[in-house]
Amino acid sequence: MDALGDLLRGVRADGALFNRTVLTRPWETSRADGVALELITVVRGAARISVASGEPRFLREGGAAIVCTGEPFTLAAAGGGDLRAAGLDAGLGAGASAGSSAGCELVTGAYQLDSSVGRRLISALPPLLAVPAGEECMPIVELIAAEIAADRPGRQYVMDRMLDWMLACTLREWFDLPEACPPAWYRALGDDVVGPALHAMHDEPARPWTVAALAARAQVSRAAFARNFTDLVGRPPMAYLTEWRMTLAAELLAEPGATVASVAAQVGYADGFGFSDAFKRIRGIAPSGYRASLASRGENARALSARSA
């Protein structure tokens, strides 16, 4: 089981909105309608990023931030005084005076996510997270900046894939930071009792799991397993399994030619009726209605991308 890979399952940019901006003064922006997550990278200079519900974060060249909140957020070029206060002043030149704000070049990419898979990722992240510059991510930052300035065949497709790459790269580095706050189930993967059961559910979602079978996989009693699982993950084992199955089902329903019956079988349901009831209970919409909404969002995203091209 790849925990981060599971969080990113089905998260695929399609008609992502990109901007390349040079900041010389603060400005406030809100996410566009339908945008669930925005990735901000610093190409040149330094930036101050803040949302209303938390402390501002400062980024230097090569750093990245992810914003996944509906609140307005503020971006500003950061001067030498800002960076010194944040402890990021190593390597500042003599021209970076305490009050200077020499400008900052940013590249932003916005995901138009509204699937259950996307919501699962967003629920695992804070409203604002920041990752310092790293050698692994810097090459893709430069490639994205160059691609935005170009007008070559397949430009949108290339940028979509670059955004996916940058998102995975940024999240991988963030989860490794001491201050990261991953979801409870992510932390529980390392537990001797709960970890084996989580791996089993993620690796074989269609298997007819029971609490007893999962407890046997964890090599503890049924009562001890159920208690430990609920304490660490925040919900009972079968409730978590159903949510995970519906997450996978949402991804499968987006595939061309998928039927309710075929998806039901792939996530452990013997018939489409039981699956439809579970999907509607968890996601608030029937599988057929969910597929229709995906098609409608795809058409809107393509139209928006065509207008902005």
Side-chain angles (χ1 to χ4, degrees):
M1 174 186 171
D2 178 354
L4 178 56
D6 279 344
L7 269 179
L8 292 170
R9 284 181 68 100
V11 178
R12 182 179 173 86
D14 184 8
L17 305 175
F18 280 89
N19 283 298
R20 186 174 183 174
T21 307
V22 176
L23 300 179
T24 56
R25 63 181 186 275
W27 59 287
E28 185 174 277
T29 183
S30 298
R31 291 187 323 197
D33 290 342
V35 171
L37 182 152
E38 190 154 354
L39 181 62
I40 301 164
T41 57
V42 180
V43 179
R44 176 177 56 83
R48 178 184 186 274
I49 305 173
S50 61
V51 297
S53 59
E55 293 295 319
R57 305 301 299 269
F58 293 89
L59 292 174
R60 298 193 64 184
E61 184 174 308
I66 294 176
V67 180
C68 46
T69 175
E71 302 173 5
F73 63 94
T74 302
L75 295 171
D82 296 322
L83 297 177
R84 290 189 180 93
L88 299 175
D89 57 338
L92 282 177
S97 64
S100 69
S101 185
C104 172
E105 184 178 353
L106 301 173
V107 167
T108 62
Y111 277 89
Q112 301 181 75
L113 293 175
D114 192 27
S115 69
S116 59
V117 181
R119 288 199 298 272
R120 186 169 189 265
L121 171 62
I122 291 167
S123 68
L125 304 178
L128 171 65
L129 66 88
V131 176
E135 293 183 0
E136 183 179 0
C137 292
M138 194 58 199
I140 190 63
V141 174
E142 295 170 348
L143 286 172
I144 291 174
E147 193 67 30
I148 290 175
D151 187 14
R152 303 174 62 188
R155 174 175 176 266
Q156 183 65 58
Y157 179 85
V158 170
M159 290 196 300
D160 283 345
R161 301 291 71 77
M162 285 182 174
L163 183 58
D164 291 337
W165 182 8
M166 189 64 195
L167 177 66
C169 179
T170 301
L171 288 176
R172 183 162 56 188
E173 293 195 8
W174 180 71
F175 275 118
D176 286 340
L177 294 176
E179 65 268 25
C181 48
W185 67 266
Y186 194 102
R187 297 192 301 271
L189 287 169
D191 183 76
D192 291 340
V193 172
V194 177
L198 281 170
H199 280 275
M201 285 189 275
H202 279 245
D203 291 341
E204 301 178 85
R207 188 166 176 170
W209 293 111
T210 62
V211 173
L214 291 168
R217 181 65 62 96
Q219 298 183 337
V220 295
S221 71
R222 184 178 183 278
F225 167 72
R227 181 176 61 253
N228 287 0
F229 191 101
T230 303
D231 288 344
L232 288 180
V233 179
R235 56 183 65 83
M238 292 298 100
Y240 178 87
L241 176 61
T242 300
E243 291 176 6
W244 172 233
R245 285 172 167 171
M246 295 308 105
T247 293
L248 295 178
E251 178 186 348
L252 294 169
L253 286 167
E255 296 181 358
T259 65
V260 172
S262 67
V263 172
Q266 291 179 76
V267 295
Y269 287 80
D271 63 80
F273 296 106
F275 164 68
S276 295
D277 287 343
F279 193 92
K280 187 172 183 179
R281 184 176 71 255
I282 297 298
R283 301 300 174 194
I285 187 173
S288 56
Y290 176 77
R291 289 201 66 190
S293 69
L294 286 178
S296 176
R297 286 198 297 271
E299 293 174 359
N300 292 338
R302 286 188 289 272
L304 182 58
S305 178
R307 288 198 299 270
S308 61

